Amino acid sequence: EHGHGTHIAGIINANAGEGNYCLVSIKYYNPNIDGNQNLAAFIKAVKYAINIKVDFINFSGGGENFDYGEYRVTESALNRHIRFIVAAGNESHNLDDTCNYYPACYDSRIIMVGNLKNVTPIERAPSSNYGFKVNRWEVGTDVLSTLPGGKTGRMSGTSQATAVATGKLVREQLAE
């Protein structure tokens, strides 16, 4: 409804470039249900991604509450060598003080992506969570991408930076 997922998919495709890959969009979030139901839907979506043997999972979201079921499914994906690329969050928190943004903080194998405002000079977007636990940075500010209905638009955040990172990682794998 918002266009967030379409925007993210467009960024991944733009950064992955040409090659033989398949982007699988799994919509799980429903604004009309509560957080626990959306969390259960997220777990089901990750299990589906594991079952179809994806190489990457891009997750442009998260929250501040640890959940054992979410942790277990995240570990299951990582243990199957799926690269889990996750947004660091947009709360301007230093995650080295308290790493409490999940699923990003569950495991050091997760690629946690922060949002840069620009690269010349390198400048973190003020809203991006930060710290040494954020192990990848990409420009996710004012990114132009696809929107529903054949439109385009600009959005900013660690979600967009995560999509840039995912696209680049897909392109790197295709080049191998």
Side-chain angles (χ1 to χ4, degrees):
E1 294 80 28
H2 177 266
H4 182 267
T6 305
H7 200 258
I8 296 307
I11 295 169
I12 293 170
N13 275 329
N15 284 277
E18 299 294 321
N20 187 16
Y21 69 93
C22 177
L23 180 67
V24 179
S25 296
I26 304 170
K27 182 177 179 175
Y28 77 89
Y29 182 78
N30 181 343
N32 299 316
I33 60 176
D34 70 28
N36 288 329
Q37 291 171 310
N38 273 311
L39 181 59
F42 169 73
I43 292 168
K44 185 177 178 181
V46 173
K47 286 179 179 178
Y48 176 75
I50 292 168
N51 288 336
I52 64 170
K53 298 180 175 26
V54 299
D55 294 318
F56 301 91
I57 294 175
N58 176 95
F59 183 59
S60 301
E64 295 182 352
N65 296 320
F66 178 96
D67 180 81
Y68 188 67
E70 182 182 52
Y71 168 78
R72 283 185 34 222
V73 76
T74 300
E75 288 294 303
S76 181
L78 292 167
N79 290 339
R80 286 173 174 79
H81 306 289
I82 295 171
R83 297 177 83 180
F84 217 114
I85 306 102
V86 180
N90 300 302
E91 292 76 32
S92 301
H93 292 160
N94 182 345
L95 296 177
D96 292 338
D97 293 340
T98 304
C99 197
N100 64 345
Y101 192 74
Y102 304 102
C105 292
Y106 285 136
D107 191 296
S108 62
R109 295 175 290 172
I110 291 171
I111 300 167
M112 187 190 313
V113 185
N115 179 18
L116 293 176
K117 184 176 179 181
N118 53 50
V119 291
T120 309
I122 294 175
E123 183 180 357
R124 175 181 64 85
S127 63
S128 182
N129 288 347
Y130 58 95
F132 291 110
K133 292 185 187 292
V134 179
N135 51 26
R136 183 152 181 155
W137 291 88
E138 297 289 350
V139 175
T141 302
D142 202 30
V143 179
L144 180 66
S145 185
T146 53
L147 291 173
K151 298 178 182 174
T152 60
R154 295 184 181 277
M155 292 185 189
S156 298
T158 57
S159 293
Q160 283 66 32
T162 300
V164 170
T166 301
K168 288 180 177 180
L169 289 166
V170 167
R171 184 175 62 223
E172 288 171 16
Q173 180 171 304
L174 291 171
E176 292 177 355

PDB file of all heavy atoms in Angstrom, residues 64-87:
ATOM      1  N   GLU A  64      12.996  -2.953  18.254  1.00  0.00           N
ATOM      2  CA  GLU A  64      13.840  -2.961  19.446  1.00  0.00           C
ATOM      3  C   GLU A  64      13.584  -4.133  20.391  1.00  0.00           C
ATOM      4  O   GLU A  64      14.201  -4.206  21.445  1.00  0.00           O
ATOM      5  CB  GLU A  64      13.692  -1.642  20.185  1.00  0.00           C
ATOM      6  CG  GLU A  64      14.217  -0.475  19.359  1.00  0.00           C
ATOM      7  CD  GLU A  64      14.132   0.861  20.071  1.00  0.00           C
ATOM      8  OE1 GLU A  64      13.523   0.936  21.157  1.00  0.00           O
ATOM      9  OE2 GLU A  64      14.684   1.824  19.533  1.00  0.00           O
ATOM     10  N   ASN A  65      12.706  -5.061  20.033  1.00  0.00           N
ATOM     11  CA  ASN A  65      12.394  -6.177  20.929  1.00  0.00           C
ATOM     12  C   ASN A  65      12.980  -7.484  20.419  1.00  0.00           C
ATOM     13  O   ASN A  65      12.728  -7.885  19.287  1.00  0.00           O
ATOM     14  CB  ASN A  65      10.879  -6.332  21.087  1.00  0.00           C
ATOM     15  CG  ASN A  65      10.263  -5.129  21.765  1.00  0.00           C
ATOM     16  OD1 ASN A  65      10.826  -4.576  22.697  1.00  0.00           O
ATOM     17  ND2 ASN A  65       9.109  -4.708  21.278  1.00  0.00           N
ATOM     18  N   PHE A  66      13.752  -8.147  21.286  1.00  0.00           N
ATOM     19  CA  PHE A  66      14.287  -9.470  20.982  1.00  0.00           C
ATOM     20  C   PHE A  66      13.118 -10.454  20.948  1.00  0.00           C
ATOM     21  O   PHE A  66      12.237 -10.412  21.793  1.00  0.00           O
ATOM     22  CB  PHE A  66      15.280  -9.888  22.077  1.00  0.00           C
ATOM     23  CG  PHE A  66      15.848 -11.262  21.871  1.00  0.00           C
ATOM     24  CD1 PHE A  66      17.073 -11.422  21.248  1.00  0.00           C
ATOM     25  CD2 PHE A  66      15.174 -12.395  22.297  1.00  0.00           C
ATOM     26  CE1 PHE A  66      17.610 -12.686  21.053  1.00  0.00           C
ATOM     27  CE2 PHE A  66      15.699 -13.669  22.111  1.00  0.00           C
ATOM     28  CZ  PHE A  66      16.919 -13.808  21.487  1.00  0.00           C
ATOM     29  N   ASP A  67      13.137 -11.352  19.961  1.00  0.00           N
ATOM     30  CA  ASP A  67      12.132 -12.410  19.891  1.00  0.00           C
ATOM     31  C   ASP A  67      12.850 -13.711  19.574  1.00  0.00           C
ATOM     32  O   ASP A  67      13.583 -13.790  18.578  1.00  0.00           O
ATOM     33  CB  ASP A  67      11.080 -12.108  18.816  1.00  0.00           C
ATOM     34  CG  ASP A  67      10.046 -13.205  18.741  1.00  0.00           C
ATOM     35  OD1 ASP A  67       9.116 -13.205  19.573  1.00  0.00           O
ATOM     36  OD2 ASP A  67      10.189 -14.090  17.862  1.00  0.00           O
ATOM     37  N   TYR A  68      12.621 -14.720  20.407  1.00  0.00           N
ATOM     38  CA  TYR A  68      13.330 -15.986  20.240  1.00  0.00           C
ATOM     39  C   TYR A  68      12.996 -16.658  18.905  1.00  0.00           C
ATOM     40  O   TYR A  68      13.874 -17.202  18.249  1.00  0.00           O
ATOM     41  CB  TYR A  68      13.047 -16.928  21.409  1.00  0.00           C
ATOM     42  CG  TYR A  68      13.908 -18.160  21.372  1.00  0.00           C
ATOM     43  CD1 TYR A  68      15.283 -18.078  21.568  1.00  0.00           C
ATOM     44  CD2 TYR A  68      13.359 -19.400  21.109  1.00  0.00           C
ATOM     45  CE1 TYR A  68      16.091 -19.198  21.503  1.00  0.00           C
ATOM     46  CE2 TYR A  68      14.155 -20.541  21.049  1.00  0.00           C
ATOM     47  CZ  TYR A  68      15.519 -20.428  21.247  1.00  0.00           C
ATOM     48  OH  TYR A  68      16.312 -21.539  21.181  1.00  0.00           O
ATOM     49  N   GLY A  69      11.746 -16.625  18.474  1.00  0.00           N
ATOM     50  CA  GLY A  69      11.369 -17.223  17.191  1.00  0.00           C
ATOM     51  C   GLY A  69      12.045 -16.523  16.025  1.00  0.00           C
ATOM     52  O   GLY A  69      12.530 -17.179  15.086  1.00  0.00           O
ATOM     53  N   GLU A  70      12.105 -15.210  16.074  1.00  0.00           N
ATOM     54  CA  GLU A  70      12.785 -14.435  15.030  1.00  0.00           C
ATOM     55  C   GLU A  70      14.282 -14.751  15.051  1.00  0.00           C
ATOM     56  O   GLU A  70      14.902 -14.927  13.999  1.00  0.00           O
ATOM     57  CB  GLU A  70      12.540 -12.949  15.262  1.00  0.00           C
ATOM     58  CG  GLU A  70      13.165 -12.045  14.218  1.00  0.00           C
ATOM     59  CD  GLU A  70      12.947 -10.587  14.520  1.00  0.00           C
ATOM     60  OE1 GLU A  70      13.247 -10.152  15.655  1.00  0.00           O
ATOM     61  OE2 GLU A  70      12.487  -9.872  13.619  1.00  0.00           O
ATOM     62  N   TYR A  71      14.842 -14.839  16.238  1.00  0.00           N
ATOM     63  CA  TYR A  71      16.255 -15.188  16.374  1.00  0.00           C
ATOM     64  C   TYR A  71      16.533 -16.557  15.755  1.00  0.00           C
ATOM     65  O   TYR A  71      17.481 -16.723  14.987  1.00  0.00           O
ATOM     66  CB  TYR A  71      16.652 -15.176  17.856  1.00  0.00           C
ATOM     67  CG  TYR A  71      17.990 -15.797  18.133  1.00  0.00           C
ATOM     68  CD1 TYR A  71      19.160 -15.098  17.871  1.00  0.00           C
ATOM     69  CD2 TYR A  71      18.088 -17.089  18.640  1.00  0.00           C
ATOM     70  CE1 TYR A  71      20.407 -15.678  18.103  1.00  0.00           C
ATOM     71  CE2 TYR A  71      19.314 -17.671  18.885  1.00  0.00           C
ATOM     72  CZ  TYR A  71      20.468 -16.959  18.617  1.00  0.00           C
ATOM     73  OH  TYR A  71      21.689 -17.541  18.841  1.00  0.00           O
ATOM     74  N   ARG A  72      15.708 -17.542  16.084  1.00  0.00           N
ATOM     75  CA  ARG A  72      15.922 -18.903  15.584  1.00  0.00           C
ATOM     76  C   ARG A  72      15.844 -18.976  14.064  1.00  0.00           C
ATOM     77  O   ARG A  72      16.658 -19.641  13.422  1.00  0.00           O
ATOM     78  CB  ARG A  72      14.915 -19.865  16.222  1.00  0.00           C
ATOM     79  CG  ARG A  72      15.300 -20.219  17.638  1.00  0.00           C
ATOM     80  CD  ARG A  72      14.417 -21.258  18.289  1.00  0.00           C
ATOM     81  NE  ARG A  72      13.916 -22.263  17.387  1.00  0.00           N
ATOM     82  CZ  ARG A  72      12.675 -22.734  17.382  1.00  0.00           C
ATOM     83  NH1 ARG A  72      11.800 -22.279  18.251  1.00  0.00           N
ATOM     84  NH2 ARG A  72      12.297 -23.653  16.529  1.00  0.00           N
ATOM     85  N   VAL A  73      14.865 -18.311  13.464  1.00  0.00           N
ATOM     86  CA  VAL A  73      14.746 -18.376  12.002  1.00  0.00           C
ATOM     87  C   VAL A  73      15.897 -17.619  11.327  1.00  0.00           C
ATOM     88  O   VAL A  73      16.382 -18.025  10.273  1.00  0.00           O
ATOM     89  CB  VAL A  73      13.354 -17.895  11.517  1.00  0.00           C
ATOM     90  CG1 VAL A  73      13.208 -16.384  11.549  1.00  0.00           C
ATOM     91  CG2 VAL A  73      13.054 -18.441  10.131  1.00  0.00           C
ATOM     92  N   THR A  74      16.358 -16.552  11.953  1.00  0.00           N
ATOM     93  CA  THR A  74      17.513 -15.820  11.432  1.00  0.00           C
ATOM     94  C   THR A  74      18.755 -16.710  11.466  1.00  0.00           C
ATOM     95  O   THR A  74      19.506 -16.806  10.485  1.00  0.00           O
ATOM     96  CB  THR A  74      17.747 -14.532  12.248  1.00  0.00           C
ATOM     97  OG1 THR A  74      16.583 -13.713  12.165  1.00  0.00           O
ATOM     98  CG2 THR A  74      18.941 -13.752  11.731  1.00  0.00           C
ATOM     99  N   GLU A  75      18.970 -17.376  12.591  1.00  0.00           N
ATOM    100  CA  GLU A  75      20.104 -18.297  12.720  1.00  0.00           C
ATOM    101  C   GLU A  75      19.994 -19.436  11.706  1.00  0.00           C
ATOM    102  O   GLU A  75      21.000 -19.859  11.124  1.00  0.00           O
ATOM    103  CB  GLU A  75      20.178 -18.863  14.143  1.00  0.00           C
ATOM    104  CG  GLU A  75      20.629 -17.852  15.178  1.00  0.00           C
ATOM    105  CD  GLU A  75      22.063 -17.407  14.978  1.00  0.00           C
ATOM    106  OE1 GLU A  75      22.955 -18.268  14.965  1.00  0.00           O
ATOM    107  OE2 GLU A  75      22.278 -16.189  14.845  1.00  0.00           O
ATOM    108  N   SER A  76      18.789 -19.924  11.490  1.00  0.00           N
ATOM    109  CA  SER A  76      18.578 -21.002  10.523  1.00  0.00           C
ATOM    110  C   SER A  76      19.006 -20.563   9.123  1.00  0.00           C
ATOM    111  O   SER A  76      19.684 -21.313   8.405  1.00  0.00           O
ATOM    112  CB  SER A  76      17.106 -21.421  10.523  1.00  0.00           C
ATOM    113  OG  SER A  76      16.872 -22.466   9.629  1.00  0.00           O
ATOM    114  N   ALA A  77      18.648 -19.346   8.743  1.00  0.00           N
ATOM    115  CA  ALA A  77      19.055 -18.828   7.429  1.00  0.00           C
ATOM    116  C   ALA A  77      20.576 -18.687   7.358  1.00  0.00           C
ATOM    117  O   ALA A  77      21.209 -19.115   6.383  1.00  0.00           O
ATOM    118  CB  ALA A  77      18.387 -17.491   7.158  1.00  0.00           C
ATOM    119  N   LEU A  78      21.172 -18.114   8.382  1.00  0.00           N
ATOM    120  CA  LEU A  78      22.623 -17.926   8.393  1.00  0.00           C
ATOM    121  C   LEU A  78      23.359 -19.253   8.371  1.00  0.00           C
ATOM    122  O   LEU A  78      24.384 -19.395   7.687  1.00  0.00           O
ATOM    123  CB  LEU A  78      23.034 -17.112   9.622  1.00  0.00           C
ATOM    124  CG  LEU A  78      22.579 -15.649   9.628  1.00  0.00           C
ATOM    125  CD1 LEU A  78      22.765 -15.041  11.013  1.00  0.00           C
ATOM    126  CD2 LEU A  78      23.305 -14.843   8.566  1.00  0.00           C
ATOM    127  N   ASN A  79      22.854 -20.239   9.090  1.00  0.00           N
ATOM    128  CA  ASN A  79      23.496 -21.554   9.128  1.00  0.00           C
ATOM    129  C   ASN A  79      23.399 -22.287   7.791  1.00  0.00           C
ATOM    130  O   ASN A  79      24.145 -23.234   7.549  1.00  0.00           O
ATOM    131  CB  ASN A  79      22.922 -22.404  10.253  1.00  0.00           C
ATOM    132  CG  ASN A  79      23.333 -21.883  11.614  1.00  0.00           C
ATOM    133  OD1 ASN A  79      24.316 -21.156  11.750  1.00  0.00           O
ATOM    134  ND2 ASN A  79      22.561 -22.224  12.630  1.00  0.00           N
ATOM    135  N   ARG A  80      22.494 -21.846   6.931  1.00  0.00           N
ATOM    136  CA  ARG A  80      22.383 -22.398   5.580  1.00  0.00           C
ATOM    137  C   ARG A  80      23.153 -21.546   4.570  1.00  0.00           C
ATOM    138  O   ARG A  80      22.959 -21.655   3.368  1.00  0.00           O
ATOM    139  CB  ARG A  80      20.917 -22.532   5.197  1.00  0.00           C
ATOM    140  CG  ARG A  80      20.238 -23.693   5.917  1.00  0.00           C
ATOM    141  CD  ARG A  80      18.745 -23.706   5.643  1.00  0.00           C
ATOM    142  NE  ARG A  80      18.084 -24.868   6.184  1.00  0.00           N
ATOM    143  CZ  ARG A  80      17.739 -25.026   7.463  1.00  0.00           C
ATOM    144  NH1 ARG A  80      18.025 -24.093   8.343  1.00  0.00           N
ATOM    145  NH2 ARG A  80      17.133 -26.123   7.873  1.00  0.00           N
ATOM    146  N   HIS A  81      23.979 -20.658   5.082  1.00  0.00           N
ATOM    147  CA  HIS A  81      24.858 -19.795   4.287  1.00  0.00           C
ATOM    148  C   HIS A  81      24.089 -18.802   3.421  1.00  0.00           C
ATOM    149  O   HIS A  81      24.575 -18.394   2.360  1.00  0.00           O
ATOM    150  CB  HIS A  81      25.849 -20.614   3.465  1.00  0.00           C
ATOM    151  CG  HIS A  81      26.631 -21.564   4.308  1.00  0.00           C
ATOM    152  ND1 HIS A  81      27.608 -21.151   5.186  1.00  0.00           N
ATOM    153  CD2 HIS A  81      26.542 -22.905   4.446  1.00  0.00           C
ATOM    154  CE1 HIS A  81      28.093 -22.199   5.817  1.00  0.00           C
ATOM    155  NE2 HIS A  81      27.468 -23.276   5.396  1.00  0.00           N
ATOM    156  N   ILE A  82      22.901 -18.438   3.864  1.00  0.00           N
ATOM    157  CA  ILE A  82      22.155 -17.362   3.207  1.00  0.00           C
ATOM    158  C   ILE A  82      22.716 -16.048   3.743  1.00  0.00           C
ATOM    159  O   ILE A  82      22.873 -15.877   4.948  1.00  0.00           O
ATOM    160  CB  ILE A  82      20.642 -17.472   3.499  1.00  0.00           C
ATOM    161  CG1 ILE A  82      20.082 -18.763   2.885  1.00  0.00           C
ATOM    162  CG2 ILE A  82      19.903 -16.242   2.976  1.00  0.00           C
ATOM    163  CD1 ILE A  82      18.651 -19.074   3.285  1.00  0.00           C
ATOM    164  N   ARG A  83      23.016 -15.138   2.855  1.00  0.00           N
ATOM    165  CA  ARG A  83      23.516 -13.824   3.275  1.00  0.00           C
ATOM    166  C   ARG A  83      22.315 -12.977   3.673  1.00  0.00           C
ATOM    167  O   ARG A  83      21.439 -12.719   2.860  1.00  0.00           O
ATOM    168  CB  ARG A  83      24.332 -13.204   2.159  1.00  0.00           C
ATOM    169  CG  ARG A  83      25.575 -14.089   1.884  1.00  0.00           C
ATOM    170  CD  ARG A  83      26.383 -13.589   0.768  1.00  0.00           C
ATOM    171  NE  ARG A  83      27.270 -12.544   1.278  1.00  0.00           N
ATOM    172  CZ  ARG A  83      28.134 -11.903   0.509  1.00  0.00           C
ATOM    173  NH1 ARG A  83      28.214 -12.166  -0.776  1.00  0.00           N
ATOM    174  NH2 ARG A  83      28.910 -10.981   1.021  1.00  0.00           N
ATOM    175  N   PHE A  84      22.299 -12.565   4.930  1.00  0.00           N
ATOM    176  CA  PHE A  84      21.183 -11.815   5.509  1.00  0.00           C
ATOM    177  C   PHE A  84      21.612 -10.357   5.592  1.00  0.00           C
ATOM    178  O   PHE A  84      22.509 -10.007   6.360  1.00  0.00           O
ATOM    179  CB  PHE A  84      20.886 -12.365   6.909  1.00  0.00           C
ATOM    180  CG  PHE A  84      19.444 -12.405   7.277  1.00  0.00           C
ATOM    181  CD1 PHE A  84      18.804 -13.612   7.470  1.00  0.00           C
ATOM    182  CD2 PHE A  84      18.724 -11.245   7.474  1.00  0.00           C
ATOM    183  CE1 PHE A  84      17.472 -13.675   7.835  1.00  0.00           C
ATOM    184  CE2 PHE A  84      17.393 -11.282   7.829  1.00  0.00           C
ATOM    185  CZ  PHE A  84      16.763 -12.499   8.011  1.00  0.00           C
ATOM    186  N   ILE A  85      21.007  -9.504   4.775  1.00  0.00           N
ATOM    187  CA  ILE A  85      21.357  -8.092   4.709  1.00  0.00           C
ATOM    188  C   ILE A  85      20.204  -7.319   5.343  1.00  0.00           C
ATOM    189  O   ILE A  85      19.063  -7.384   4.876  1.00  0.00           O
ATOM    190  CB  ILE A  85      21.599  -7.632   3.257  1.00  0.00           C
ATOM    191  CG1 ILE A  85      22.645  -8.517   2.570  1.00  0.00           C
ATOM    192  CG2 ILE A  85      22.058  -6.178   3.223  1.00  0.00           C
ATOM    193  CD1 ILE A  85      22.068  -9.519   1.644  1.00  0.00           C
ATOM    194  N   VAL A  86      20.504  -6.594   6.426  1.00  0.00           N
ATOM    195  CA  VAL A  86      19.464  -6.031   7.278  1.00  0.00           C
ATOM    196  C   VAL A  86      19.731  -4.556   7.561  1.00  0.00           C
ATOM    197  O   VAL A  86      20.874  -4.150   7.800  1.00  0.00           O
ATOM    198  CB  VAL A  86      19.388  -6.821   8.611  1.00  0.00           C
ATOM    199  CG1 VAL A  86      18.326  -6.276   9.516  1.00  0.00           C
ATOM    200  CG2 VAL A  86      19.141  -8.295   8.339  1.00  0.00           C
ATOM    201  N   ALA A  87      18.673  -3.774   7.580  1.00  0.00           N
ATOM    202  CA  ALA A  87      18.759  -2.353   7.911  1.00  0.00           C
ATOM    203  C   ALA A  87      19.200  -2.164   9.358  1.00  0.00           C
ATOM    204  O   ALA A  87      18.761  -2.883  10.255  1.00  0.00           O
ATOM    205  CB  ALA A  87      17.401  -1.686   7.690  1.00  0.00           C
TER     206      ALA A  87
END
